Amino acid sequence: MRGLLALVALTAAGASPVVSVENERNASRAPGDQAEVAIAADPSDPKILLGASGGLARTRTYTSTDGGKTWRSAADVPNTLLGDLPAGDPMPAIDSAGHQYLGFVAASPTTPAPYYALVTRDGSNEDWQPTNRPILDDRFQDKPMLAVDNAPDSPYPGRLYMGGVEFRIGRGSGTMVLTHSDDRGQSWSEPVTLTTGRDATIPQFLTLAVGRGGVVYAGWMRANGSLEVTRSVDGGDTFSSSRVAVRLPGAAAWAVPAQTIPRRGNRRFVTATPLLRVDTTSGAFADRLYLGFGERRNGRTNVFVLRLSPELRPIGRPVAVARASRTADRFFPAIDLDESTGDLWDCFYATDGSRDLRRVRFSCSVSRDGGASWSAPVRAASRFSLVTRQTGDVSFGYGDYEGLAVAGGAAHPMWTDSRARSGSEIWTARLAVH
């Protein structure tokens, strides 16, 4: 634990802001290796935070009502209405009325295939309640994404959007689908097909953002390195034809030393991890869309942000968040935008300072000029993390993604950390620009 650990001078947008890092905490403190972490902030009260993790350990939630100073860690996610267990990939969300949601993949030994499920509660101190299945079919449903419409001037306030990729077992094909609910998950619309693919073009890692007027933006990656985007102007009933926003120079998944287990030959690749956010402020960059992602160049991995217009037209080329280095990897980026200030944050693992590229510290950068330039990375994690040690069940590594929620002038990254030999825990911190 630490209080105010650092006041770091940064250079961004021609100014010299100061970023404070405080309240670094082990939020989980639970047995087993946690990973697959995500976090959301209450738009009406930024001190209320909801995180969740999955991985090889049981799905857990992390609740803070004091802006991240203290956390309640609990394995409190109930079984679904069908009695099946939460199996992983949890995605939290909070609407402007304070209702909290958690989407996840559910499964059991008697379930034909894992499927999307959702629980909800009225507030941080209430019990979770199961809801009805968002998409009812017999396909294998993987890696859900959940978003809630808290956008200004939206005709669909509080609407939930949930979807992801469905696989037809044994057919080598996948379909990206999306549904929505206006009654907190009790009933759902007929799912809309966003795109399909086979083999190297199977879409994965759905990402969602809701802009002013209720415009829904969606994106995904394909294994062949294509990052694509689309949008809906009618509340998710129909979507425009998707367009390629970024073509990676190689595949969308690759190995890095920090995820490679020595002498086991057991690798869990990192991916481009695309993530969309949209500026719903009335500031200079109102309605701008941002696509954060990772990319491998010259044998090393770095993180980038592409700026797009509301009509999905690229604004310039992707911008490197951290200066390229032949001696460092940066991976698993998570971006979020502060709707009170317009500040855009990007947090990621960085092996800077690790000679063998195996040790990482979760780090963050901020942009105050609409993603055109970025501050030097600041370490949210005060110590190196090493997930590849030969202790415990490390086959999951850091998982597949990390979390970030930004609201009320503060950034709250949430990440898998294995600084302790007891295994991987979920850590968090509070960062702010002064």
Side-chain angles (χ1 to χ4, degrees):
M1 296 184 182
R2 59 176 173 173
L4 187 62
L5 279 185
L7 288 175
V8 185
L10 304 174
T11 301
S16 298
V18 174
V19 172
S20 63
V21 184
E22 58 186 357
N23 296 339
E24 185 184 12
R25 297 285 188 273
N26 182 342
S28 54
R29 297 187 176 276
D33 288 312
Q34 291 91 41
E36 293 182 340
V37 63
I39 183 173
D42 189 328
S44 61
D45 185 352
K47 291 184 178 181
I48 296 177
L49 303 166
L50 172 63
S53 67
L56 297 173
R58 183 175 176 181
T59 298
R60 302 186 70 83
T61 63
Y62 311 105
T63 304
S64 177
T65 58
D66 54 12
K69 294 180 180 178
T70 61
W71 291 88
R72 183 177 76 245
S73 171
D76 58 353
V77 183
N79 295 353
T80 69
L81 290 176
L82 300 178
D84 292 322
L85 301 172
D89 285 326
M91 284 288 143
I94 307 176
D95 68 23
S96 58
H99 302 133
Q100 299 187 359
Y101 305 92
L102 187 69
F104 53 90
V105 172
S108 77
T110 60
T111 300
Y115 61 90
Y116 301 143
L118 180 84
V119 294
T120 183
R121 63 185 182 186
D122 290 339
S124 300
N125 296 316
E126 305 298 324
D127 293 331
W128 293 104
Q129 302 297 325
T131 68
N132 290 311
R133 281 186 60 176
I135 300 174
L136 185 61
D137 58 34
D138 60 356
R139 301 180 187 180
F140 185 115
Q141 298 174 353
D142 188 35
K143 184 58 179 71
M145 180 55 68
L146 178 67
V148 60
D149 188 342
N150 293 319
D153 307 318
S154 175
Y156 320 104
R159 175 170 286 186
L160 291 173
Y161 295 94
M162 189 170 180
V165 63
E166 295 189 316
F167 296 101
R168 289 186 178 274
I169 305 301
R171 297 189 182 183
S173 63
T175 302
M176 193 68 77
V177 292
L178 184 68
T179 182
H180 62 259
S181 173
D182 292 317
D183 54 13
R184 300 183 62 193
Q186 297 309 306
S187 63
W188 296 87
S189 67
E190 285 295 317
V192 173
T193 295
L194 299 177
T195 190
T196 61
R198 292 186 61 83
D199 302 323
T201 64
I202 289 176
Q204 293 181 294
F205 280 85
L206 175 66
T207 176
L208 299 170
V210 184
R212 187 182 309 276
V215 178
V216 183
Y217 298 96
W220 53 84
M221 73 177 198
R222 299 185 193 271
N224 63 8
S226 174
L227 307 185
E228 301 174 13
V229 291
T230 182
R231 71 170 188 166
S232 170
V233 296
D234 57 10
D237 289 335
T238 62
F239 281 80
S240 63
S241 297
S242 62
R243 61 176 63 186
V244 176
V246 176
R247 290 191 186 277
L248 302 180
W254 56 90
V256 295
Q259 285 269 77
T260 302
I261 313 302
R263 295 181 297 279
R264 284 193 186 181
N266 185 2
R267 293 181 175 182
R268 191 176 188 92
F269 284 7
V270 302
T271 72
T273 325
L275 197 62
L276 286 171
R277 288 295 182 265
V278 60
D279 188 335
T280 61
T281 72
S282 56
F285 309 104
D287 303 320
R288 177 173 290 184
L289 191 68
Y290 301 96
L291 175 63
F293 62 96
E295 180 179 307
R296 187 179 187 184
R297 296 182 182 180
N298 301 317
R300 297 272 66 86
T301 300
N302 205 6
V303 292
F304 299 83
V305 169
L306 175 67
R307 299 160 292 163
L308 300 113
S309 73
E311 296 77 27
L312 304 180
R313 291 190 295 269
I315 302 172
R317 299 177 63 84
V319 177
V321 174
R323 181 176 298 178
S325 172
R326 293 183 178 273
T327 60
D329 285 315
R330 294 77 174 240
F331 59 97
F332 287 162
I335 68 170
D336 201 17
L337 188 135
D338 192 337
E339 300 299 342
S340 66
T341 65
D343 291 346
L344 180 65
W345 290 78
D346 196 330
C347 298
F348 44 88
Y349 287 115
T351 65
D352 296 73
S354 172
R355 292 184 179 180
D356 59 6
L357 301 178
R358 292 176 55 210
R359 292 167 175 81
V360 302
R361 278 182 284 214
F362 207 64
S363 304
C364 299
S365 297
V366 62
S367 174
R368 313 197 84 181
D369 58 4
S373 63
W374 292 84
S375 68
V378 176
R379 295 165 180 167
S382 59
R383 294 174 57 189
F384 274 121
S385 179
L386 180 62
V387 77
T388 57
R389 59 169 51 96
Q390 296 291 312
T391 58
D393 189 350
V394 295
S395 61
F396 208 80
Y398 293 105
D400 296 305
Y401 48 86
E402 309 307 318
L404 175 64
V406 184
H412 301 275
M414 187 169 260
W415 68 93
T416 296
D417 194 299
S418 59
R419 68 184 68 183
R421 292 188 176 275
S422 57
S424 297
E425 297 275 274
I426 302 303
W427 282 68
T428 186
R430 180 185 186 276
L431 287 76
V433 181
H434 302 280

